[in-house]
Amino acid sequence: MKPRILYLYSDTGGGHRSAATAVMQAVEHLRKNTFSQEMVDVFASCSGFLNIFAKLYSPVIKYSPQMWGQLYYWLDDEKKLERLEKVAGPFILKELVGLIKKKSPNIIVSVHPMVNHLTVKAIKQSGKKLPFIIVITDPVTLHRAWITPGADQAIVATPEAKQLAVKYGMPENKIKVIGMPIDPKFSLKDKEKQAARKKDNLKPKAFTILMMGGGEGAGKMLEIIEEFDRAELNIQLIVIAGRNKSLETQLKHSASKFRFPVRVYGFTDQVHEIMAESDLIITKAGPGTIAEAMAMNLPIIITSWLPGQEEGNVEYVVRENVGRVSKDPKRVVEIVKEMIGTPEFEELKKNIRRASRPQAAMEIAREIFRYL
Ligand code: UDP
């Protein structure tokens, strides 16, 4: 029987699912047909209680990101996390022990912050000796909930994340700095833009801007598009609305009224193909999207972020000089105008090539192999 790898994730946004899928794809790419791999949405399957939080993610980040920030900061506290674990722990623990017994994995890999302490306890209670790795998907500033000294290893994306993890109590010898896992399809993708556009019936030579807002399609996309329309720029736009159905419908209805072509997608598994056609991305500061855009060498304009959780990502984009930041739709359009065809734009791309770690998922896969 093939050794089994069990991934714990949650379908909040798109980032955790993408990270788990990325590592799974890398494992398969490096060792074809060697392992049996499975992802389990821990909130949906183990905890009615935490599933309420998970279900709130989509409406809250769309309509009141500040509220998510308040919750984030309120819970970023050792004592409160302990209390939360006391309240919710017993139910989830029982489910987790059951999950481990049922799936009988040879290793567990978590890409989510909320149930890692309990997973360590559940492994003990199940009576099995199982390695447990945590892949921290907040690349710069990370929440205390990730920190689990009892895990065998924590993989982080940057040296800053490592410093914070140590400060919060993760033993230094258990931390590896590797990078954000992104699906190998991003790093393996051919980046010849004009041919890709032609094949997809887009204008081959137009400056092509991709707009997205994570899995939930968050951010002021419509306002920004209207601002582009006033600016009379020679561009074409591709919008990925993700799971934001109302944005998708609204944009599909109004796409033809704009002066430039606007192509609209709902939730798509073709993000890598779409990035390959694009010159620039305008996005929420989601860690998955930023890492993927960098692997595809796209300069980034950040227009929204989750308070607390994604602030470090905004600082990262500025510090590494791989993009620009503005919440003001007018300013966003000015930034684009100032950038197109300039040496500054080429400079951003050079910085992206330097900072990007497109092979991180492969390296994480190799770490997993060390335990099997
Ligand atoms: N994504 C996708 N299809 C879509 C929209 C998003 O596959 O239509 C993916 C995107 O490629 C990225 C993830 O969802 O891997 C979004 O993760 P991120 O960390 O940027 O933000 P989140 O959605 O977790 O807030």
Side-chain angles (χ1 to χ4, degrees):
M1 199 146 65
K2 292 177 189 169
R4 287 172 298 281
I5 309 174
L6 179 67
Y7 297 85
L8 305 182
Y9 83 107
S10 155
D11 251 334
T12 41
H16 300 295
R17 171 185 276 277
S18 292
T21 310
V23 179
M24 285 170 82
Q25 293 295 340
V27 165
E28 199 50 32
H29 184 80
L30 292 172
R31 303 258 182 101
K32 212 168 171 39
N33 288 329
T34 312
F35 302 101
S36 138
Q37 305 193 80
E38 189 178 348
M39 284 163 71
V40 170
D41 183 333
V42 267
F43 286 8
S45 68
C46 293
S47 166
F49 177 73
L50 286 177
N51 208 23
I52 296 173
F53 278 103
K55 289 227 154 62
L56 280 174
Y57 182 78
S58 167
V60 172
I61 73 156
K62 266 188 281 186
Y63 305 115
S64 179
Q66 295 80 356
M67 195 192 274
W68 190 261
Q70 280 158 6
L71 187 63
Y72 179 93
Y73 285 120
W74 186 76
L75 266 180
D76 195 15
D77 176 291
E78 228 169 301
K79 291 253 146 33
K80 284 184 187 131
L81 284 167
E82 267 170 29
R83 262 181 266 151
L84 179 67
E85 196 175 310
K86 275 208 178 100
V87 178
F91 309 107
I92 306 171
L93 189 59
K94 200 167 148 240
E95 296 287 336
L96 278 172
V97 174
L99 182 75
I100 292 171
K101 288 192 172 150
K102 188 168 137 210
K103 304 284 179 193
S104 192
N106 297 87
I107 186 169
I108 300 183
V109 180
S110 164
V111 294
H112 201 279
M114 287 313 281
V115 292
N116 299 330
H117 284 263
L118 291 169
T119 303
V120 171
K121 281 190 189 164
I123 291 173
K124 272 200 191 118
Q125 279 196 16
S126 73
K128 295 184 193 273
K129 251 190 112 20
L130 262 184
F132 178 41
I133 298 184
I134 299 169
V135 180
I136 296 184
T137 59
D138 288 325
V140 190
T141 39
L142 49 100
H143 197 277
R144 274 179 178 76
W146 283 106
I147 304 306
T148 313
D152 294 283
Q153 204 181 115
I155 292 171
V156 295
T158 60
E160 293 90 323
K162 177 177 177 178
Q163 262 179 12
L164 260 186
V166 172
K167 186 175 148 200
Y168 292 162
M170 192 71 200
E172 191 168 356
N173 62 356
K174 288 189 175 181
I175 307 172
K176 270 232 158 106
V177 182
I178 295 184
M180 274 292 289
I182 56 163
D183 198 303
K185 66 190 179 188
F186 288 89
S187 49
L188 299 173
K189 179 84 197 124
D190 179 9
K191 296 174 180 67
E192 217 298 281
K193 293 186 189 306
Q194 292 204 11
R197 287 175 199 152
K198 215 174 184 165
K199 217 169 108 197
D200 201 17
N201 293 322
L202 289 161
K203 289 194 196 167
K205 290 195 174 149
F207 190 83
T208 306
I209 300 175
L210 167 61
M211 294 180 77
M212 58 191 286
E216 308 299 340
K220 295 185 213 160
M221 291 198 240
L222 196 60
E223 288 94 320
I224 298 171
I225 299 172
E226 280 164 357
E227 211 49 64
F228 272 121
D229 204 34
R230 279 190 273 277
E232 295 190 38
L233 274 170
N234 183 20
I235 53 169
Q236 64 191 339
L237 271 188
I238 308 177
V239 182
I240 299 180
R243 295 192 198 93
N244 191 338
K245 277 271 164 226
S246 69
L247 177 72
E248 183 190 344
T249 314
Q250 206 174 354
L251 279 174
K252 279 185 172 157
H253 276 128
S254 49
S256 60
K257 78 169 203 225
F258 297 111
R259 283 180 231 244
F260 43 80
V262 179
R263 175 157 315 167
V264 184
Y265 292 91
F267 198 91
T268 170
D269 59 2
Q270 297 299 304
V271 175
H272 60 300
E273 298 284 351
I274 298 167
M275 284 187 174
E277 297 168 347
S278 308
D279 292 298
L280 169 83
I281 182 168
I282 297 179
T283 178
K284 172 175 93 75
T289 305
I290 292 176
E292 290 161 359
M294 288 177 67
M296 302 296 291
N297 206 222
L298 297 185
I300 302 160
I301 301 181
I302 301 286
T303 54
S304 67
W305 55 90
L306 293 180
Q309 190 168 322
E310 292 180 342
E311 269 162 27
N313 311 344
V314 182
E315 285 160 27
Y316 172 85
V317 165
V318 173
R319 192 186 57 236
E320 297 294 331
N321 198 14
V322 295
R324 298 282 172 266
V325 179
S326 177
K327 279 189 171 177
D328 171 18
K330 254 200 172 73
R331 180 66 198 131
V332 170
V333 173
E334 278 167 20
I335 292 173
V336 173
K337 266 186 177 165
E338 289 162 13
M339 260 185 190
I340 297 181
T342 61
E344 184 206 344
F345 192 67
E346 295 311 310
E347 183 73 27
L348 293 177
K349 290 209 260 188
K350 211 167 93 197
N351 296 338
I352 291 172
R353 278 193 287 273
R354 191 202 61 231
S356 170
R357 292 180 160 175
Q359 299 297 326
M362 304 280 193
E363 281 182 53
I364 294 170
R366 288 192 188 95
E367 286 300 315
I368 295 174
F369 300 156
R370 293 199 308 121
Y371 291 90
L372 292 168

